C-alpha cells in the first residue's frame, strides 16, 4: 500500500558541465517508507548523463540496500538538447562508464503499467543497474514517439503540460535479473510519491 508522506530537504552536490562541482543544493524529496531512510551524502559518484540542466537527486538506504532517485528537467541553465529523446542515454561518448547490457523492462507503479529503459553500466567505481522513463503531464513512458505526441498535445492545450525524466539507480548485484526486483519494489512502494514530486518538479520555474 502507498503511504502519504511529506517533503524533506537534503543537500547534495550536483556535477555541472565539464564535471565541475557546484555548491550543495537543498532538494525537496520524498520521505521514504517501508524502512528506507534518506541519506545526507552520496554513496557513489556516478551520475547518468543529462541533456538538460535541471537536476534533483537523492539517495536512500535500507540495511545494505541502496537506491538513488533523480529528476532531470529543462531549466534556464544549460541545454545540450531536448529532454525527450534522452531516456536511453546514460553515458556520453568517450565516457569511462560503459553500458554492458540494455533492456526494455515492463514495470507497474501507482496503478499504471509502462516500460522503462534499463541498463547495466560499469565504470571506475563499480557497476550499477539504472532505470529511466519520462513523466509527461501524468503520462509515464520511455517511448520517445509517444513522448513527442504528448509534447505536441500539451503545446496546443490537449494534454497536461510538464516534462521530466526520472531515473532510479542501484548497485548491481550478481546480474540484472537478481538486482531488478529491488528497483521494482522501491517503485511499487514509492511510485505515487515519486509521480507527485515529478509533477511538481516539472512545473514552470519562475
Amino acid at each position: 500500500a502507498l503511504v502519504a508522506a511529506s517533503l524533506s530537504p537534503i543537500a547534495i552536490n550536483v556535477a555541472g558541465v565539464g564535471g565541475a562541482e557546484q555548491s550543495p543544493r537543498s532538494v525537496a524529496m520524498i520521505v521514504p517508507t517501508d524502512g528506507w531512510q534518506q541519506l545526507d551524502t552520496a554513496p557513489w559518484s556516478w551520475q547518468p548523463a543529462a541533456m538538460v540542466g535541471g537536476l534533483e537527486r537523492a539517495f536512500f538506504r535500507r540495511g545494505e540496500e541502496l537506491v538513488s532517485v533523480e529528476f532531470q528537467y529543462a531549466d534556464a541553465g544549460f541545454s545540450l538538447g531536448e529532454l525527450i529523446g534522452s531516456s536511453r542515454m546514460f553515458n556520453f561518448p568517450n565516457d569511462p562508464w560503459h553500458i554492458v547490457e540494455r533492456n526494455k523492462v515492463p514495470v507497474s507503479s501507482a496503478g499504471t503499467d509502462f516500460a522503462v529503459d534499463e541498463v547495466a553500466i560499469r565504470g571506475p567505481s563499480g557497476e550499477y543497474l539504472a532505470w529511466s522513463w519520462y513523466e509527461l503531464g501524468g503520462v509515464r513512458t520511455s517511448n520517445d514517439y509517444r513522448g513527442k505526441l504528448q509534447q505536441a498535445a500539451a503545446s496546443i492545450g490537449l494534454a497536461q503540460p510538464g516534462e521530466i525524466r526520472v531515473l532510479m539507480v542501484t548497485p548491481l548485484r550478481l546480474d540484472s535479473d537478481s538486482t531488478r526486483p529491488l528497483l521494482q519494489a522501491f517503485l511499487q512502494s514509492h511510485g505515487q510519491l515519486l509521480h507527485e514530486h515529478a509533477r511538481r518538479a516539472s512545473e514552470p520555474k519562475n
Side-chain angles (χ1 to χ4, degrees):
L2 296 171
V3 181
S6 59
L7 298 176
S8 174
I10 62 167
I12 60 172
N13 288 326
V14 179
V17 179
E21 188 175 87
Q22 301 174 356
S23 300
R25 175 183 177 186
S26 181
V27 174
M29 183 57 76
I30 62 167
V31 173
T33 63
D34 291 347
W36 289 88
Q37 294 184 332
Q38 190 165 320
L39 301 178
D40 292 326
T41 57
W44 61 77
S45 60
W46 176 66
Q47 185 172 318
M51 297 298 290
V52 290
L55 170 67
E56 296 182 8
R57 184 167 63 150
F59 295 83
F60 304 92
R61 176 190 295 277
R62 184 176 65 182
E64 298 300 314
E65 299 173 327
L66 292 165
V67 171
S68 73
V69 176
E70 181 172 316
F71 300 98
Q72 297 178 0
Y73 49 89
D75 68 357
F78 76 95
S79 175
L80 300 177
E82 293 190 15
L83 178 77
I84 297 176
S86 67
S87 180
R88 288 171 48 83
M89 183 179 177
F90 294 85
N91 59 344
F92 289 110
N94 303 318
D95 199 314
W97 291 87
H98 303 287
I99 294 172
V100 297
E101 183 181 351
R102 186 184 292 274
N103 299 296
K104 204 77 164 178
V105 177
V107 300
S108 178
S109 174
T112 302
D113 296 326
F114 58 103
V116 300
D117 287 312
E118 176 190 87
V119 299
I121 191 164
R122 178 184 300 143
S125 59
E127 296 180 75
Y128 301 93
L129 191 70
W131 284 2
S132 171
W133 71 93
Y134 307 117
E135 296 271 346
L136 305 170
V139 172
R140 302 167 194 121
T141 183
S142 59
N143 184 290
D144 290 333
Y145 179 72
R146 185 180 183 191
K148 286 293 186 181
L149 290 178
Q150 185 72 12
Q151 184 184 56
S155 69
I156 57 176
L158 298 180
Q160 298 178 28
E163 299 176 13
I164 197 163
R165 182 189 181 195
V166 184
L167 297 108
M168 292 174 54
V169 179
T170 191
L172 193 69
R173 298 179 180 180
L174 294 176
D175 52 31
S176 298
D177 290 339
S178 61
T179 309
R180 192 174 296 126
L182 174 59
L183 291 181
Q184 175 62 79
F186 188 93
L187 181 61
Q188 195 69 31
S189 297
H190 301 85
Q192 187 60 43
L193 301 175
L194 291 175
H195 301 322
E196 291 172 358
H197 185 68
R199 177 181 55 78
R200 285 190 290 271
S202 67
E203 291 174 350
K205 306 296 187 293
N206 296 324

